[in-house]
Amino acid sequence: MNKGKKPLTGPLKGLRILDLTRLYPGPLGTMMLADMGAEVIKIEDMNSPDYMRFYPPYLASESTGYLAVNRSKRSIALNLKSKKGLDIFFALVKTADIVVEQFRPGVLDEMGLGYDRARRFKADIIYVSVTGYGQNGPYAQHAGHDINYIGYSGILSTTGSKKTGPIIPGPQIADVAGGAYMTIIACLCALWSRQKSGQGQRVDVSMLDAILPLMTLQMAHYQAAGLSPAVGEAALSGGLACYDVYRCADEKYIALGILEEKFWKNFCDMAGHPDWLPKQFVIGEEADQLKAEISAFFETKKREEWIATSTDYDICMTPVLEIAEIETDPQIQARNMIIKQTHPLCGKIKGIGVPLKFSATPAKPSGPAPTLGQDTADIMKEIGYKPQEIEALKKEGVILISGN
């Protein structure tokens, strides 16, 4: 369980982060920081904890979503609507480097937990605020989810095909790329700035802003041509036959990603179709015709047969793996990207591994996701509370200790 323990390894060892985030974007970002050695203390209101704890599906009594994005953390549960609960929070701020929060603009100030107040307790504290639309602008107070942010960004309008129109991507792009990853970048940039200047600051992370760079090439092409391609017609989004997904005889799929001439020649050699050589970058109806021919070609064999055949050629052709197949892929196994942990309530659980590999300071998860208030007593002791004070605060309903 790793109860009461801090991360033992990783490049961020010694960094303390207070995590007020909920659901998916912030918790995933802070978990990745914790996996890399930061001590992340998940702070939840004992009367209104992270909603993700209650979302199905479950393993035993625990939400799999919560387990997936909260490992390597410690948990303290407070009554954040009480003065004594706020006192405990600010006692923790004095010991921390960063606070990460994910409330709508202004809510944290209303709760009495805002950046300006925190600076009175620690002048160089860093606050990272993650929201859908940022702290200002006409949408700042609007509710939203991943689908709304990718809708505004242009990602949704360029994902799909002529037949389907816009389709929802499999993963939550804005939550992960815009929320989780940008949380990590924001934390590390603000830390580097503080190391040079001695000053903390507040970092405003807008998930909409953060996913707009994913459209950099599309915007550049639009500026050059002055035209916005219909869904499925952009070169790398379904417009080219040499860069598409094809179904095989067993109803599984192949991803073909060939942009270089040498790879296209090798593919045409494998297919026995020298007539395809001059057609690599055809568009419109010609591309549709070439896609139909390549589709018929791939439907003659099963996916694994095509993968075996392609090993004799140097081409960018890979299987489209289903989720159940990911953990058995040899490359993913070699990189330790599926890990196993033992949870006290759920037994053996699997999760995504640590994507960055450090030669001198290896990073690894320090333990499974904590139960609510699992580390409350230990953390309280660390910031100076005596056992009798902890017991009194528990009886007053100011703190919650796991199991009570």
Side-chain angles (χ1 to χ4, degrees):
M1 178 62 110
N2 196 31
K3 182 176 179 179
K5 293 183 179 178
K6 301 176 184 179
L8 301 176
T9 185
L12 300 181
K13 183 180 176 183
L15 182 68
R16 175 173 273 193
I17 298 172
L18 306 184
D19 180 11
L20 290 167
T21 64
R22 301 178 177 192
L23 297 175
Y24 192 16
L28 176 59
T30 53
M31 183 190 79
M32 295 177 76
L33 290 164
D35 283 347
M36 292 187 285
E39 180 195 3
V40 175
I41 299 176
K42 185 175 181 70
I43 301 175
E44 295 170 83
D45 190 305
M46 56 188 283
N47 299 309
S48 180
D50 186 348
Y51 315 135
M52 188 69 96
R53 289 185 180 273
F54 311 114
Y55 287 175
Y58 300 95
L59 283 175
S61 60
E62 304 299 294
S63 162
T64 54
Y66 171 79
L67 294 174
V69 296
N70 285 287
R71 71 175 181 226
S72 300
K73 301 178 186 179
R74 307 172 78 194
S75 169
I76 184 170
L78 308 173
N79 182 346
L80 291 172
K81 293 182 179 179
S82 70
K83 180 182 182 303
K84 290 182 179 179
L86 293 180
D87 290 342
I88 296 168
F89 173 78
F90 287 115
L92 281 168
V93 166
K94 292 177 182 178
T95 72
D97 296 287
I98 303 171
V99 176
V100 183
E101 62 97 2
Q102 196 177 297
F103 294 95
R104 284 200 212 188
V107 171
L108 213 62
D109 290 326
E110 293 173 5
M111 295 172 65
L113 303 172
Y115 172 62
D116 289 335
R117 186 174 180 185
R119 292 175 66 194
R120 301 176 200 166
F121 296 88
K122 189 173 186 187
D124 65 352
I125 192 70
I126 293 165
Y127 263 52
V128 174
S129 297
V130 185
T131 60
Y133 302 108
Q135 299 296 310
N136 67 298
Y139 306 155
Q141 292 295 335
H142 288 190
H145 282 295
D146 185 272
I147 191 171
N148 308 115
Y149 313 139
I150 64 173
Y152 273 121
S153 71
I155 292 173
L156 197 53
S157 68
T158 56
T159 303
S161 68
K162 300 173 188 175
K163 293 180 180 179
T164 65
I167 60 173
I168 302 173
Q172 284 65 57
I173 293 173
D175 286 349
V176 178
Y181 289 179
M182 282 296 173
T183 293
I184 297 169
I185 293 171
C187 287
L188 299 183
C189 288
L191 280 171
W192 177 241
S193 176
R194 188 177 73 180
Q195 181 171 321
K196 294 184 295 179
S197 69
Q199 295 182 340
Q201 60 182 303
R202 187 180 188 188
V203 188
D204 175 3
V205 177
S206 156
M207 286 187 273
L208 172 56
D209 294 356
I211 57 173
L212 283 173
L214 299 178
M215 297 295 290
T216 299
L217 282 180
Q218 288 80 358
M219 286 293 291
H221 295 167
Y222 170 73
Q223 289 184 46
L227 297 172
S228 180
V231 62
E233 290 186 356
L236 302 184
S237 301
L240 295 176
C242 64
Y243 201 93
D244 212 336
V245 176
Y246 293 95
R247 186 173 58 191
C248 303
D250 55 357
E251 301 295 316
K252 295 186 177 181
Y253 292 84
I254 285 289
L256 193 66
I258 303 178
L259 297 177
E260 294 80 6
E261 183 180 351
K262 62 179 181 180
F263 295 136
W264 180 246
K265 181 181 183 305
N266 292 344
F267 172 69
C268 294
D269 289 345
M270 184 192 84
H273 272 278
D275 54 307
W276 290 348
L277 274 170
K279 301 179 181 180
Q280 182 178 4
F281 296 115
V282 293
I283 58 175
E285 292 183 2
E286 287 186 278
D288 291 341
Q289 177 59 38
L290 181 55
K291 284 184 183 183
E293 294 175 19
I294 296 175
S295 292
F297 168 72
F298 276 120
E299 287 180 348
T300 61
K301 291 183 182 181
K302 295 179 179 180
R303 185 188 70 185
E304 295 313 311
E305 293 178 295
W306 284 124
I307 296 301
T309 300
S310 71
T311 58
D312 294 329
Y313 299 84
D314 186 21
I315 54 178
C316 305
M317 192 176 91
T318 55
V320 176
L321 296 183
E322 297 172 8
I323 289 179
E325 299 175 295
I326 295 173
E327 64 185 281
T328 60
D329 182 81
Q331 178 66 24
I332 291 172
Q333 288 181 337
R335 300 285 293 175
N336 296 315
M337 284 309 298
I338 301 294
I339 64 160
K340 295 180 181 179
Q341 294 181 305
T342 301
H343 190 279
L345 300 177
C346 307
K348 297 289 184 181
I349 58 175
K350 296 176 183 177
I352 304 297
V354 182
L356 301 180
K357 316 300 182 185
F358 298 90
S359 63
T361 55
K364 61 179 292 185
S366 60
T371 55
L372 182 63
Q374 172 185 299
D375 304 292
T376 298
D378 289 335
I379 293 170
M380 296 282 286
K381 291 174 186 175
E382 290 171 13
I383 57 176
Y385 284 84
K386 296 180 173 60
Q388 59 269 30
E389 293 175 310
I390 295 171
E391 183 63 25
L393 289 167
K394 183 179 73 174
K395 290 180 179 179
E396 289 178 45
V398 176
I399 63 172
L400 183 143
I401 297 173
S402 184
N404 297 115

